[in-house]
Amino acid sequence: MKLQAITMIAVLTAFAGTSTTTVEANDFIKVIRTINAIDHAVNGPKFNGPKFGPKPIHHPIHKPIILPHPGHGHIHPKPPVCKPPIVKPPVHICHKYHSHICHCHKPPINKPPMKKFTMKLMNNAETKIFFSLNGLDYQMMQADDVELVKSVSPKDHLIKYHNGVEVVEFQLDPTAAYSFEWEGETLMLLQLQG
C-alpha cells in the first residue's frame, strides 16, 4: 500500500511539472495500471468501491493480524486467537464425597428395631449335655443350666447331640423353649412351649 502511494505521488509530481502529451498520458495510465496490478498481486483483490480514496471498512468477528513471514518477505494472516467459553462450576459440590448431590446434611431414615427371636434350652437331665447348634463346634451345658439362643432370622435352628444310642438331629423353632430330659437310657429333647 505504501509502495503504491509513493509511486503514485512520484508519477503525479513528474507529470505535473512537465507538459503532458498523448503519449505521456498513455504512459501515465500504463504506470497506474502496473501499480494496480502489483497491488492486486501483493494485497489481493479490492472490495467494491472507488479505486482511489479510502477503502470500505469491514469489521470481522476476529480480525486477523498481518505479520511478515520470515525469510520470504510475503505477508500471511495469523489465525485468530479465540478464548474458550467460561464454564461455571456446579452450584453445590459435596465436600465429603465430591459429587453434585450431597447426602451429608439429610437426616437418617428412622427404621423400627429389628425383630429378634429367642429360643430357650434347659438342661433338666441332671448331667452335662454336649450339643452342636447350627453346625458350630460342640458346646457343654451344665446340669440345671438355661441357655438363650438369640437370632434375627426366623429360620429354624439345627441341633445335633448324642442321645445315648446314636447322634440325632432336630429342627428347632427359634421362638420355642426346649428341655433335655432322660427317658430311661435315651436323652430326649422335649418342646415345652412354642
Side-chain angles (χ1 to χ4, degrees):
M1 183 68 183
K2 291 180 181 179
L3 174 67
Q4 179 185 4
I6 293 170
T7 309
M8 186 75 72
I9 290 170
V11 170
L12 288 176
T13 307
F15 280 114
T18 60
S19 60
T20 58
T21 61
T22 307
V23 176
E24 290 173 344
N26 288 338
D27 289 341
F28 176 70
I29 292 171
K30 285 181 186 178
V31 168
I32 291 175
R33 285 183 183 162
T34 305
I35 291 170
N36 285 338
I38 292 171
D39 183 48
H40 179 74
V42 172
N43 296 321
K46 297 190 184 295
F47 297 105
N48 292 332
K51 289 189 178 182
F52 301 106
K55 294 181 181 179
I57 298 172
H58 295 280
H59 298 284
I61 294 172
H62 298 289
K63 186 175 181 182
I65 300 170
I66 308 298
L67 295 175
H69 188 273
H72 298 293
H74 296 118
I75 297 173
H76 297 284
K78 183 179 178 184
V81 178
C82 298
K83 293 181 180 178
I86 298 171
V87 179
K88 293 183 180 179
V91 177
H92 183 74
I93 297 177
C94 182
H95 297 290
K96 187 174 180 181
Y97 299 106
H98 303 290
S99 64
H100 298 289
I101 300 170
C102 188
H103 298 286
C104 297
H105 304 293
K106 292 184 180 179
I109 298 170
N110 295 316
K111 295 181 179 179
M114 292 182 71
K115 186 176 180 180
K116 292 185 180 177
F117 302 94
T118 304
M119 182 180 75
K120 186 188 282 187
L121 284 176
M122 294 177 282
N123 183 358
N124 293 324
E126 299 178 4
T127 185
K128 294 178 187 175
I129 302 292
F130 295 93
F131 65 93
S132 170
L133 195 63
N134 296 324
L136 298 175
D137 290 339
Y138 280 87
Q139 54 188 340
M140 182 185 69
M141 192 174 185
Q142 295 289 342
D144 298 324
D145 200 4
V146 176
E147 184 167 334
L148 299 177
V149 180
K150 295 183 179 179
S151 65
V152 293
S153 171
K155 187 177 173 184
D156 289 345
H157 295 291
L158 176 67
I159 192 165
K160 220 188 257 191
Y161 69 95
H162 200 288
N163 68 357
V165 180
E166 62 182 342
V167 176
V168 292
E169 293 182 7
F170 291 107
Q171 296 285 334
L172 304 179
D173 183 359
T175 60
Y178 296 93
S179 174
F180 286 105
E181 296 179 12
W182 287 101
E183 285 188 7
E185 294 184 356
T186 306
L187 183 64
M188 304 294 291
L189 182 61
L190 305 174
Q191 184 172 353
L192 302 177
Q193 63 181 17

